[in-house]
Amino acid sequence: MGNVVDFFTGNLILNLAILAWAIAQGLKIIITFWTKKKLDWHYLVASGGMPSSHSAFVCACAAAVGYMYGWGSPMFGIAAVVAIVVMYDAANVRKAAGEQAKILNYIMDHWTEMKPALFGKELKELLGHTPFQVLMGGLLGVVVGLAGAWLWS
């Protein structure tokens, strides 16, 4: 096993996460070729598309940590939380931004023929947070994490 770990980064969990990312990126090329009959090498480094390389990356990390250090270990808990956040972001925030980009691209392509009635659905504008909202969420997380660890450990 030492040779496998030493081969790339010196860290088996990181190697596995990178491997999952690389496989996902390669699958994007194959799936695009299969569905669109087009060989598009830009998917080797592009974000978006099927499958999510972000999700593959963080889930490989979390699964390896859970297997190696225990499903109840604090390290697995941290890895799982990061994975959930990344996947939520990929499926919701980044998806909404992509939908907005589609509409904006359409507007730019059809600027001269635009009629306000074409847009019956309002775009979700609240995608981020103010610095104060981030600070308050961070403080809440710290309080709950410290209090919970103090109470139940």
Side-chain angles (χ1 to χ4, degrees):
M1 181 164 94
N3 290 344
V4 173
V5 174
D6 295 337
F7 172 69
F8 196 59
T9 67
N11 182 308
L12 179 60
I13 294 169
L14 183 55
N15 285 352
L16 293 171
I18 292 169
L19 177 63
W21 172 86
I23 291 169
Q25 292 300 102
L27 283 172
K28 288 179 187 183
I29 294 170
I30 293 167
I31 291 170
T32 301
F33 181 73
W34 186 49
T35 57
K36 298 180 181 178
K37 307 296 184 232
K38 178 176 126 180
L39 191 60
D40 193 346
W41 292 103
H42 104 280
Y43 279 107
L44 204 54
V45 294
S47 61
M50 169 67 184
S52 167
S53 56
H54 290 85
S55 296
F57 187 78
V58 295
C59 286
C61 175
V65 167
Y67 183 81
M68 293 172 68
Y69 297 100
W71 300 105
S73 71
M75 289 183 290
F76 172 70
I78 292 167
V81 166
V82 170
I84 290 165
V85 168
V86 168
M87 291 187 298
Y88 178 86
D89 181 71
N92 292 288
V93 177
R94 289 179 52 226
K95 177 70 173 165
E99 293 300 317
Q100 289 179 5
K102 285 181 193 174
I103 292 170
L104 290 171
N105 287 335
Y106 179 85
I107 290 170
M108 295 305 293
D109 290 343
H110 299 90
W111 187 254
T112 58
E113 25 182 288
M114 296 307 302
K115 296 182 179 114
L118 289 175
F119 305 103
K121 180 178 158 187
E122 278 191 26
L123 298 174
K124 185 176 179 181
E125 295 179 9
L126 185 61
L127 294 175
H129 299 282
T130 66
F132 182 72
Q133 292 168 332
V134 172
L135 176 64
M136 291 297 106
L139 289 175
L140 173 64
V142 168
V143 168
V144 170
L146 290 176
W150 180 74
L151 285 171
W152 293 297
S153 65

